[in-house]
Amino acid sequence: MNREIIALPKENWKGVPIPLVTRSDSYYDVEIAPMDNEGCTIRLVRKKAEKEIIHTPEEYDFPDSLYQDHWEKAQAYGIVGDNGELLACIEVCPEEWSNRLMVTELWVDDSLRKQGIGKMLMDKAKEIAKLQNRRAIILETQSCNTNAIGFYLHQGFELIGFDKCCYTNKDIERREVRINLGYFFDMNGRWE
C-alpha cells in the first residue's frame, strides 16, 4: 500500500465520514476555583479513569466528515487505500480574521497507528501554514483524548485555552472538556 499523502478534492470527498473513535484510560480533570477580584486558579490534572473512556461518532448529532459546509475554504489531504477507502486524513481551514490555520480534522485508521502517519499529516498542515504565511496553527481536542493531547504536545503545540461547556453543560463531569492547542511562529517567521 502506498503511504503517500495526497490531496482529497472537495468534489470527490465532501461528506465522507471520518470514523473518529476516542479511547482512553485517562483524562485531564479541569479544576477551576471560583473567580473573584483577586483572580482564580485553573488546573488541568491528568487522572486515571475508573474505566476506559470511549466516544464514538454515533453519540453525536453531526458525526465528523470532510468538507462540512461551515468550513468554506477547507482543504483535505490523506492516504487512500488500494480500494479507494480513506485510511488517514487531515483537513485544514484558514481563519482569515486572525491569520491562523485551523486543523478541523485529523484521523488515522487503527491499522496505520504508530507508523508516523499522524506526524506526516501534521507536517502537511505546517507546510500549508508556511506557504500561506499564517502566524499559528490551532486545533481543538477533548480532555479525555489524552493520546491526541500527547501527540500534539510532541508536535510542538501548547495549551491556548479551553471551553468547559462547549459540548454540553456537563462537560467537566463527562470528562470531555474542549482543549484548544496552538503552534506558533517565532518573531523571525520560523516555526518554534
Side-chain angles (χ1 to χ4, degrees):
M1 174 190 29
N2 187 356
R3 291 204 166 90
E4 179 185 1
I5 306 292
I6 62 169
L8 303 174
K10 186 175 187 175
E11 58 272 11
N12 299 337
W13 292 91
K14 180 177 174 49
V16 170
I18 301 169
L20 282 171
V21 175
T22 302
R23 294 180 173 278
S24 181
D25 63 355
S26 61
Y27 63 97
Y28 283 93
D29 194 19
V30 180
E31 301 171 356
I32 305 172
M35 188 165 189
D36 60 23
N37 290 334
E38 304 298 316
C40 72
T41 303
I42 301 168
R43 289 176 28 116
L44 277 79
V45 180
R46 189 169 180 169
K47 294 184 176 178
K48 183 93 171 134
E50 299 86 40
K51 63 177 187 170
E52 184 179 39
I53 300 167
I54 302 172
H55 292 293
T56 65
E58 292 76 28
E59 66 186 274
Y60 300 102
D61 293 337
F62 53 97
D64 290 275
S65 63
L66 290 175
Y67 294 109
Q68 294 181 31
D69 291 338
H70 54 276
W71 304 122
E72 292 179 24
K73 296 182 179 179
Q75 298 173 282
Y77 301 86
I79 296 176
V80 177
D82 296 334
N83 297 322
E85 73 278 15
L86 187 63
L87 297 174
C89 66
I90 191 163
E91 182 183 74
V92 296
C93 189
E95 188 178 74
E96 298 295 353
W97 68 272
S98 68
N99 194 29
R100 302 184 297 183
L101 186 68
M102 180 181 291
V103 174
T104 57
E105 300 291 351
L106 178 63
W107 171 76
V108 177
D109 186 78
D110 288 342
S111 67
L112 295 180
R113 296 270 170 102
K114 306 285 186 203
Q115 298 180 33
I117 305 296
K119 180 185 182 324
M120 289 170 52
L121 292 166
M122 192 55 70
D123 287 347
K124 183 67 176 177
K126 291 173 181 178
E127 174 189 322
I128 292 166
K130 287 179 186 179
L131 290 171
Q132 295 179 0
N133 200 28
R134 301 287 172 193
R135 68 181 180 91
I137 298 173
I138 59 172
L139 56 83
E140 76 173 72
T141 190
Q142 294 73 36
S143 58
C144 59
N145 199 348
T146 54
N147 292 331
I149 292 169
F151 169 77
Y152 295 132
L153 294 174
H154 187 73
Q155 294 300 308
F157 283 76
E158 62 186 74
L159 178 69
I160 59 174
F162 68 94
D163 184 339
K164 72 174 199 163
C165 63
C166 181
Y167 311 112
T168 72
N169 288 345
K170 302 251 185 232
D171 289 352
I172 290 177
E173 293 87 345
R174 292 182 68 234
R175 299 181 176 135
E176 192 176 17
V177 173
R178 175 180 168 161
I179 302 291
N180 299 310
L181 300 170
Y183 185 88
F184 301 93
F185 278 115
D186 70 11
M187 296 307 290
N188 297 312
R190 295 183 304 265
W191 289 102
E192 292 188 311

